[in-house]
Amino acid sequence: MATTEPPLDPVLDAAVERAVAALRGGGLVAFPTETVYGLGADASSPAAVRRIFAAKGRPPSHPLIVHLGDAGLVDTWAVDVPRDARHLADACWPGPLTLVLHRAALVPDEVTGGRETVGLRVPAQPLALAMLRRFGGGVAAPSANRFGRVSPTTAADVAADLGPAVDLILDGGPCTVGVESTIVDLTGPTPTVLRPGGIPVDALEAVLGRPVALAAGGESRAPGMLPSHYAPAARVELVAAADVAARVTALLEAGHHVAVLSEAAVALPPTAVALPPVGDAEGYARALYAHLRLADRLGADVVVAVPPAEVGIGAAVCDRLRKAAAPRDAPGDEPEGP
Ligand code: TXA
Ligand code: MG
């Protein structure tokens, strides 16, 4: 994929310069990617990476993705890189794909949670790429939300969630994809999707010319993922389109404040909150987290969500909706160990 960048306007250029200086100084920089905003630090600095966990309130055993400005840096951060990884990187980077590879010796334990593997990705966002290329190193970054909260898709979301814990927020506007990257583990005999995301699984299969495995049940199996991840304060219920009107009526009669999330507009009782219809699966992905946050701000205590068809990026949306709808204190809510 071509990686030529148009020049940045001078204001953004100065902001990128400050972000690079903050990273070099061991600081925390929230930055836009095409998926969600990341909370970044110099991946080669254990002290800087520890600040990410402190700011997020995230358990240190949860591994972080290392963001790179160019696919040519893969061999700095990983060893024994298989041909499948090269093909996927060529076809999908910059883009919403994370490759899990055997880590190089320079990757600190703080980044991998002590694992022998590392997740790498080149994001497709002009400010992120400018920052990463000027910085030159790797930037370790989880999504820029407090642990267990909905991922941020605007700079304002980051400020609301993390505020003063961040040294600088680079504002690149709303994220264009809206759900996190697809994570593929390439350290075993068969490429295995650990988390569905912005790149559909069939696109990976088209690149590799053979099927990829889905980790058990097609659910996210990346270490550290919890069933209650991606959840707003409101309870989320998944309801088929044909049943929405009846379910919403019943919830309203029971005294709930109900918001409805769906592709198409639904005829609803006037007291229900209809979030703007998202249109299609891409629109659903782009709007998902913003709408869950909006439902909270509007005081909804139940979000009734009509899932999209589970194909293409719709699979990632369905995965996140199921996690948002999972019981909050279900068994298995404990972080998985390394
Ligand atoms: O789109 C994205 O991937 C966003 C943007 C900021 O790049 N990042 C993101 O980071 O979603 P985070 O930390 O919220 O989720 C990263 C996931 C975690 O579930 C983690 O377990 C998994 O990636 N992961 C990271 N390194 C891994 C490794 N070595 N092996 C398996 N899973 C890994
Ligand atoms: Mg996250």
Side-chain angles (χ1 to χ4, degrees):
M1 204 174 267
T3 54
T4 43
E5 305 155 66
L8 291 177
D9 86 50
V11 173
L12 293 178
D13 193 82
V16 167
E17 225 21 73
R18 285 197 300 278
V20 170
L23 291 171
R24 295 217 168 105
L28 291 186
V29 173
F31 64 99
T33 82
E34 76 282 37
T35 60
V36 300
Y37 274 70
L39 177 63
D42 179 352
S44 68
S45 162
V49 172
R50 280 196 293 268
R51 288 191 60 201
I52 295 176
F53 290 96
K56 274 193 68 123
R58 170 156 152 157
S61 62
H62 291 198
L64 303 177
I65 295 168
V66 176
H67 297 71
L68 305 173
D70 191 275
L73 293 170
V74 161
D75 297 289
T76 307
W77 294 86
V79 292
D80 302 330
V81 178
R83 206 174 315 157
D84 282 345
R86 309 264 181 213
H87 289 152
L88 290 172
D90 284 348
C92 303
W93 282 353
L97 177 68
T98 296
L99 303 179
V100 172
L101 299 165
H102 296 286
R103 71 161 164 177
L106 72 82
V107 185
D109 281 342
E110 281 77 1
V111 169
T112 69
R115 281 171 195 74
E116 288 310 314
T117 58
V118 63
L120 302 177
R121 140 167 150 85
V122 179
Q125 207 288 344
L127 287 187
L129 281 177
M131 178 189 84
L132 290 165
R133 287 173 184 169
R134 265 183 236 179
F135 178 61
V139 171
S143 50
N145 50 284
R146 294 220 21 109
F147 183 64
R149 299 258 183 89
V150 174
S151 298
T153 52
T154 66
D157 293 343
V158 178
D161 231 30
L162 295 173
V166 184
D167 295 305
L168 187 142
I169 302 176
L170 260 188
D171 188 348
C175 299
T176 53
V177 173
V179 290
E180 295 82 351
S181 60
T182 303
I183 303 179
V184 188
D185 185 348
L186 292 156
T187 62
T190 308
T192 302
V193 172
L194 303 181
R195 178 178 74 182
I199 298 248
V201 171
D202 52 6
L204 304 179
E205 294 178 329
V207 171
L208 297 177
R210 63 195 166 96
V212 301
L214 293 181
E219 295 281 318
S220 301
R221 295 303 306 157
M225 304 216 65
L226 310 183
S228 65
H229 251 145
Y230 311 106
R235 184 176 93 224
V236 178
E237 282 189 17
L238 307 188
V239 177
D243 303 328
V244 169
R247 182 62 189 147
V248 170
T249 302
L251 286 164
L252 291 172
E253 279 169 12
H256 288 288
H257 195 172
V258 185
V260 179
L261 178 55
S262 66
E263 285 179 331
V266 187
L268 293 169
T271 47
V273 175
L275 301 168
V278 295
D280 56 13
E282 276 76 25
Y284 215 135
R286 243 185 334 267
L288 176 65
Y289 294 137
H291 279 19
L292 293 178
R293 286 173 180 264
L294 179 59
D296 278 349
R297 283 203 302 279
L298 293 173
D301 65 339
V302 182
V303 175
V304 168
V306 184
E310 203 160 356
V311 292
I313 201 167
V317 174
C318 289
D319 174 78
R320 305 306 188 273
L321 283 174
R322 278 195 293 270
K323 290 198 160 51
R328 303 295 157 84
D329 49 6
D333 221 10
E334 290 303 309
E336 292 165 42

